[in-house]
Amino acid sequence: NAGVIQTPRHKVTGKGQEATLWCEPISGHSAVFWYRQTIVQGLEFLTYFRNQAPIDDSGMPKERFSAQMPNQSHSTLKIQSTQPQDSAVYLCASSPTGNYAEQFFGPGTRLTVL
Amino acid sequence: AQSVTQPDARVTVSEGASLQLRCKYSYSGTPYLFWYVQYPRQGLQLLLKYYSGDPVVQGVNGFEAEFSKSNSSFHLRKASVHWSDSAVYFCVLRANSNNRIFFGDGTQLVVKP
């Protein structure tokens, strides 16, 4: 079991460029979560999928951010026209079904927008 | 509204000393509570969790936490810390109504040799 895999581990983009972050959940886990971590804001929930369907995207910025889960083996977080304030560590977590399931986190992708 | 408060941003202890990291939560329903640890440049790892039953729960590496409904707290403890325990510790509340989780701001633990 390789755990949650996130690629790339580090990404540097120029202001205005697009960034796509990938997450591969643990096999068999049906829930996938995205979070953003910064020094100032701490850990913020972004969005959540269950069985590939978007369940809650209330934490997603309304513009430029989108997330998809085209199949059970991966999810993507896309940021269009990146801005310096998007610089953060983006964490993906997966969870099996069930009311008592904890989340398993990936190592994160550190995005730096110059 | 749900929230988690970790009042101590940074705690410094000497190796071998005992440890308590404080966590207070706000939630009207049945709380599901977790402690996670984050080592530098790594993701979060689960230390322990509480759902119901015995208010003292045991975790990995000698950590334990005690749930108190009356105090709305879930403090983390360890009898004797090791330098390798230096990390950031997050207290986390899960709202079972919508599966959302709420993080505290984290407490950075520094263990001095």
Side-chain angles (χ1 to χ4, degrees):
Chain A
N1 186 345
V4 176
I5 298 172
Q6 290 189 249
T7 55
R9 292 293 307 276
H10 303 275
K11 186 172 182 66
V12 180
T13 66
K15 183 178 175 180
Q17 293 183 327
E18 182 179 286
T20 300
L21 313 181
W22 291 70
C23 171
E24 182 178 328
I26 293 172
S27 178
H29 284 192
S30 59
V32 170
F33 303 79
W34 284 96
Y35 300 90
R36 177 169 62 183
Q37 185 177 27
T38 62
I39 298 293
V40 174
Q41 298 293 334
L43 273 155
E44 301 173 280
F45 167 81
L46 293 177
T47 189
Y48 156 46
F49 294 86
R50 186 172 64 227
N51 295 323
Q52 300 171 232
I55 302 298
D56 180 355
D57 66 353
S58 58
M60 290 279 274
K62 298 307 178 189
E63 298 178 353
R64 304 187 294 106
F65 282 66
S66 62
Q68 295 183 343
M69 191 164 184
N71 56 59
Q72 62 184 6
S73 65
H74 86 274
S75 174
T76 58
L77 178 68
K78 182 181 292 186
I79 309 172
Q80 295 178 311
S81 185
T82 54
Q83 303 298 310
Q85 60 265 31
D86 299 330
S87 297
V89 176
Y90 291 83
L91 292 168
C92 176
S94 72
S95 175
T97 54
N99 290 331
Y100 305 109
E102 68 264 25
Q103 298 181 17
F104 295 79
F105 285 81
T109 294
R110 180 176 295 278
L111 175 66
T112 302
V113 182
L114 302 176
Chain B
Q2 301 96 330
S3 67
V4 177
T5 301
Q6 293 180 246
D8 305 308
R10 183 182 174 101
V11 170
T12 302
V13 297
S14 297
E15 191 167 26
S18 63
L19 168 73
Q20 176 173 277
L21 302 182
R22 297 183 292 164
C23 172
K24 299 274 286 185
Y25 69 89
S26 175
Y27 182 54
S28 58
T30 301
Y32 295 162
L33 295 159
F34 307 83
W35 275 98
Y36 282 84
V37 60
Q38 186 176 33
Y39 297 101
R41 296 173 296 282
Q42 296 186 27
L44 280 70
Q45 301 172 30
L46 182 69
L47 275 180
L48 47 78
K49 58 189 176 185
Y50 171 81
Y51 296 132
S52 64
D54 190 337
V56 179
V57 291
Q58 304 297 320
V60 298
N61 297 334
F63 285 94
E64 68 175 27
E66 183 167 5
F67 168 70
S68 172
K69 186 173 183 179
S70 59
N71 294 324
S72 298
S73 67
F74 190 56
H75 301 330
L76 181 70
R77 302 189 298 239
K78 186 171 184 179
S80 176
V81 296
H82 187 265
W83 65 267
S84 60
D85 293 325
S86 295
V88 179
Y89 292 78
F90 291 93
C91 182
V92 178
L93 166 71
R94 189 168 90 83
N96 53 3
S97 57
N98 58 10
N99 216 24
R100 287 280 302 275
I101 68 173
F102 299 85
F103 292 87
D105 289 336
T107 296
Q108 181 168 12
L109 173 65
V110 176
V111 180
K112 297 187 300 182

